[in-house]
Amino acid sequence: MNTTVNINLANTFFYIDEEAYKKLKNYLKAIKKSFESEEGCEEIMADIEARISELFTEKLKHERQVIGLLEVNEIIVIMGQPEDYVWEEASKKSKTNNSDSNSQKDKKLFRDGDDVYIGGVVSGIGHYLGIEPQWARLIALLLFLLSAGSFMIIYILLWIFIPEAKTTSEKLSMRGKSINISNIEQKIKEGLDDVTERVKNVDYEKVSGRFQSSVRSFFNGVGSLLLLFVRGVKNIIGAVFIIASCVILVELFIGFFSAGTLGFVSTHWFEFAEKTQTPFWLLSLAGFLCIGIPFFFPLFGGI
Amino acid sequence: MNIENTKAQMRKGVLEYCILSIIKKQNQYTSEILSTLKQGKMLVVEGTVYPLLTRLKNSELLSYHWEESTSGPPRKYYSITKKGVETLKELDQSWNDLHRAVTHITQSKKQTK
């Protein structure tokens, strides 16, 4: 049993299998990329969609038939690969491709939205420096622990200032690959785009929602931590992550205090917070940023 | 050097010429143009044609209008413009020249053999 999707292709209504829908969508996207810069791109796409719609109509035997992968593949055979859509630029591009190989050095720094634990900063920097994200993360984790929290502030600043690689061309330049159609197409084929991204975004929203609420309950003391702990116990890995995050938490408290001496926060606040022992909004904000973020680790582990 | 690529390039080189000739004979909508081209084995995949039609239209060699169809959505009918007819004449000329030149070369080769 498969899920079907309803699509409107050139004002015609179709039932399409979910897998087939993904394929068709990626195909159309890859085609669009191949003449995106051209004048009348929208019009060309409209023509192509109209034709595909016409071909589907011809192929369907009755109105309620669902379009499957088979039909989509047939359409692609008829319509051709994205490369076939490129006209006279083809020869020019193959020439520029050679020079593009030099542009491998022209990497740009982006956050990696596909490979995220927190903000994709570390994996982005990893791509930039040519380090595997796992190793980059390990180094970052060590820095987290050793720098006593100041790394956290740097991280947050980087999070704010480094743009996320959203478009396929940005993703390719992040990895230092030259931007040409076959690369873009390959990228799309890899399915790193849209669908998986959206799935991850959903998780991300879920997680960020949860950790926001956990920061709110921070006022109630360590209750939230226990709550998270209980959640995390569901599996051992989750628990390990939580212990790790607790260690980070302690480190962060030190970082918190050093933040006063670093001048990020006024000393009045620092004294006040020490005397009263009750955090107010500034502390809650700082707490939100500094303490909430490591909660990603137990949460990701726990989920 | 890829032989398939060379073949494709050859076809592509005269594709604009063919499209203009087809439309000059009779106003046609996209699918008809495609089937005519396919019958003449000028096309392997349809994809190439769409950007080309739009480009010809944008350079004012073709114009189009929408026509209602009984069996589906409205169709885009292409017709050739004055400028298109002039261009076609030029292309006719250069095709004839090319054909002559190629025939001359290929046949003279046979004789030397």
Side-chain angles (χ1 to χ4, degrees):
Chain A
M1 197 173 74
N2 286 326
T3 318
T4 58
V5 183
N6 297 331
I7 55 165
N8 172 357
L9 200 61
N11 292 324
T12 315
F13 178 83
F14 292 103
Y15 292 107
I16 184 163
D17 187 79
E18 204 177 9
E19 283 294 307
Y21 167 73
K22 277 183 205 163
K23 178 139 196 188
L24 185 65
K25 197 178 171 198
N26 285 339
Y27 176 67
L28 287 172
K29 222 174 174 183
I31 293 169
K32 199 173 179 186
K33 287 273 177 201
S34 64
F35 43 76
E36 206 164 33
S37 51
E38 203 171 306
E39 188 196 352
C41 163
E42 290 302 319
E43 197 179 347
I44 299 170
M45 284 314 292
D47 286 352
I48 290 165
E49 284 184 11
R51 177 60 179 163
I52 294 174
S53 153
E54 198 177 44
L55 288 170
F56 276 150
T57 316
E58 278 171 25
K59 283 193 191 301
L60 294 178
K61 286 160 199 115
H62 58 89
E63 242 172 54
R64 296 191 65 83
Q65 192 183 335
V66 174
I67 295 160
L69 266 181
L70 184 75
E71 280 84 7
V72 172
N73 286 333
E74 279 173 8
I75 295 287
I76 292 174
V77 168
I78 294 172
M79 302 296 289
Q81 290 303 313
E83 286 93 342
D84 297 318
Y85 287 82
V86 185
W87 183 242
E88 57 228 354
E89 285 91 331
S91 51
K92 282 182 213 159
K93 270 197 179 153
S94 60
K95 274 174 209 160
T96 49
N97 274 353
N98 299 335
S99 61
D100 269 355
S101 57
N102 301 331
S103 73
Q104 292 232 332
K105 286 162 199 159
D106 302 342
K107 276 188 187 177
K108 281 184 190 151
L109 187 56
F110 285 108
R111 285 188 290 117
D112 189 350
D114 295 322
D115 197 359
V116 184
Y117 268 83
I118 304 168
V121 175
V122 172
S123 51
I125 292 171
H127 290 309
Y128 188 72
L129 299 173
I131 310 167
E132 284 283 307
Q134 290 91 324
W135 291 111
R137 266 192 207 111
L138 195 70
I139 294 164
L141 194 69
L142 285 173
L143 280 171
F144 270 122
L145 295 171
L146 296 174
S147 68
S150 50
F151 183 78
M152 208 65 196
I153 294 152
I154 296 166
Y155 187 94
I156 291 160
L157 286 174
L158 288 173
W159 196 352
I160 294 163
F161 288 114
I162 302 174
E164 188 183 340
K166 280 189 183 127
T167 67
T168 311
S169 60
E170 280 172 348
K171 281 175 190 167
L172 285 169
S173 64
M174 172 178 76
R175 289 190 162 81
K177 280 187 192 166
S178 56
I179 303 158
N180 57 38
I181 305 152
S182 55
N183 269 344
I184 289 172
E185 202 211 334
Q186 187 200 342
K187 198 91 180 82
I188 287 165
K189 275 182 185 164
E190 279 170 15
L192 279 172
D193 271 344
D194 254 326
V195 186
T196 43
E197 199 178 6
R198 214 178 301 136
V199 170
K200 279 187 180 172
N201 279 348
V202 169
D203 277 351
Y204 177 82
E205 278 155 21
K206 217 193 285 168
V207 168
S208 66
R210 268 197 222 171
F211 102 77
Q212 270 178 352
S213 63
S214 70
V215 166
R216 253 176 259 130
S217 62
F218 176 74
F219 295 102
N220 303 331
V222 280
S224 65
L225 195 73
L226 280 168
L227 200 75
L228 280 167
F229 200 89
V230 170
R231 269 188 213 160
V233 168
K234 281 172 189 166
N235 58 50
I236 303 159
I237 302 162
V240 168
F241 272 123
I242 284 162
I243 292 159
S245 79
C246 287
V247 174
I248 295 166
L249 248 164
V250 173
E251 293 283 344
L252 277 171
F253 265 108
I254 304 163
F256 224 60
F257 284 96
S258 75
T261 54
L262 284 168
F264 283 98
V265 187
S266 82
T267 44
H268 292 293
W269 168 78
F270 177 64
E271 282 163 14
F272 179 73
E274 213 181 30
K275 271 181 203 166
T276 55
Q277 296 262 308
T278 43
F280 62 111
W281 68 273
L282 201 61
L283 183 61
S284 74
L285 186 72
F288 172 81
L289 291 170
C290 293
I291 295 153
I293 285 161
F295 276 45
F296 269 97
F297 291 106
L299 276 170
F300 267 100
I303 285 163
Chain B
M1 195 68 200
N2 184 336
I3 193 71
E4 278 308 314
N5 191 30
T6 313
K7 282 183 195 168
Q9 290 297 329
M10 274 181 162
R11 274 195 298 267
K12 275 184 176 178
V14 290
L15 197 52
E16 280 160 307
Y17 174 49
C18 290
I19 290 173
L20 285 175
S21 320
I22 291 167
I23 295 168
K24 198 201 169 195
K25 271 184 219 157
Q26 196 191 350
N27 289 357
Q28 286 192 328
Y29 79 102
T30 320
S31 303
E32 286 178 318
I33 299 168
L34 288 166
S35 67
T36 315
L37 286 170
K38 274 183 170 171
Q39 274 166 21
K41 300 211 168 145
M42 275 301 298
L43 263 195
V44 180
V45 290
E46 295 188 359
T48 337
V49 176
Y50 300 95
L52 196 56
L53 280 171
T54 305
R55 219 164 295 152
L56 288 171
K57 190 214 74 186
N58 285 344
S59 40
E60 291 167 0
L61 302 178
L62 293 178
S63 64
Y64 71 87
H65 63 276
W66 291 97
E67 250 174 56
E68 291 296 328
S69 92
T70 46
S71 62
R75 290 163 171 177
K76 215 176 191 177
Y77 270 85
Y78 284 95
S79 50
I80 198 162
T81 62
K82 252 188 190 174
K83 204 176 160 191
V85 176
E86 279 162 31
T87 313
L88 186 58
K89 268 182 199 159
E90 261 178 61
L91 290 175
D92 266 330
Q93 184 58 43
S94 62
W95 170 250
N96 286 337
D97 291 348
L98 185 69
H99 180 69
R100 214 172 297 137
V102 173
T103 324
H104 179 74
I105 289 165
T106 46
Q107 284 183 353
S108 65
K109 256 189 185 173
K110 269 181 193 167
Q111 281 166 5
T112 52
K113 271 177 188 174

